[in-house]
Amino acid sequence: MTASGLRAVRCAVLLCCLSSPASTQIISIRTVPIAQGDQFQIFPSSNLGMGSVSIALPDSLQDPFVNPATGARLRAGRFISAPTVYSLSQNAGGGRSLPLAALGRAGSWYGGLALALQQVEPSRAPAFNGGGFVALPRSDVALVQGIPGPDTRAHGNQYVFAMAGKVLPNRFSLGASVLWSGLHALDGVDLLYAGSRRVEQHGHTLDARLGLLKEEYGNIAA
């Protein structure tokens, strides 16, 4: 062993002798298999198989939905549909999406409209646990009387997207877009409330965007 290695071993032994026990706290990490990425992937992408690297590479399909000002790059009208079907293992749910989108341009104006219908299936609880059926105590049965049973039906979500913009002088473009979502089922929500009698979901989201783009030699300058 070299002299430097011997000194390192001596320092390590000295630190071990001088160290004292320290109190620690173990925090367990709990996760739920939520397929949010699949549920909200209603817009097409050219780079989806590459990890959706739309920042590094131009994406002629997805860019107008992310930044409405990039709709100025349209050279012709497009009609797009990308149906999606997905499911989670161990009967944890699944869903189906049918999006329809149209993009077009007339002179210096451009715009787009997209609609999507979706069905999300809840998780299916097993009929028995540990090889035998689980019976609730009489007190628990009395508490749940009058409360509807578990809802195992698939619920629908709706998405509406609208975009409009104009090409300005000096290679500038200005665009605006609005996305409204009517949500009645989200993946994994029923798993977050394990053991609950019934979970009902109602809500909506609104996403409004305003984009400004300047093209310079085919690249984004600002």
Side-chain angles (χ1 to χ4, degrees):
M1 181 180 294
T2 62
S4 59
L6 184 60
R7 286 195 299 269
V9 171
R10 290 176 179 175
C11 292
V13 173
L14 181 61
L15 291 176
C16 292
C17 294
L18 297 178
S19 62
S20 59
S23 59
T24 60
Q25 180 183 9
I26 299 177
I27 302 176
S28 59
I29 300 177
R30 305 178 66 180
T31 60
V32 175
I34 299 179
Q36 296 285 8
D38 293 332
Q39 178 175 348
F40 292 99
Q41 282 181 354
I42 60 174
F43 298 129
S45 173
S46 299
N47 303 324
L48 184 62
M50 303 174 61
S52 300
V53 288
S54 58
I55 296 179
L57 298 176
D59 194 326
S60 59
L61 295 180
Q62 191 181 37
D63 283 347
F65 300 99
V66 177
N67 182 0
T70 57
R73 298 171 178 170
L74 292 173
R75 296 296 179 265
R78 294 186 177 184
F79 179 79
I80 309 165
S81 179
T84 304
V85 178
Y86 65 94
S87 62
L88 303 179
S89 59
Q90 300 181 359
N91 293 326
R96 298 172 294 275
S97 299
L98 177 60
L100 300 172
L103 301 174
R105 179 169 179 173
S108 61
W109 290 90
Y110 59 88
L113 180 66
L115 304 173
L117 299 178
Q118 185 179 79
Q119 278 191 332
V120 177
E121 298 179 356
S123 61
R124 309 290 181 178
F128 57 91
N129 186 11
F133 291 92
V134 178
L136 291 175
R138 294 183 62 87
S139 59
D140 293 341
V141 173
L143 289 176
V144 300
Q145 287 182 355
I147 301 178
D151 190 0
T152 59
R153 299 172 302 170
H155 290 274
N157 299 326
Q158 302 84 32
Y159 305 87
V160 179
F161 173 87
M163 176 191 66
K166 180 177 176 59
V167 179
L168 304 175
N170 299 323
R171 303 179 68 89
F172 279 96
S173 61
L174 180 66
S177 65
V178 176
L179 171 63
W180 180 88
S181 306
L183 303 175
H184 301 279
L186 295 180
D187 285 333
V189 170
D190 51 342
L191 300 178
L192 293 174
Y193 300 93
S196 60
R197 181 68 174 176
R198 188 183 183 96
V199 177
E200 294 187 1
Q201 305 176 54
H202 300 282
H204 68 276
T205 62
L206 182 64
D207 185 346
R209 301 188 181 190
L210 181 66
L212 178 65
L213 176 73
K214 185 179 187 304
E215 297 277 10
E216 186 175 355
Y217 304 110
N219 298 320
I220 298 177

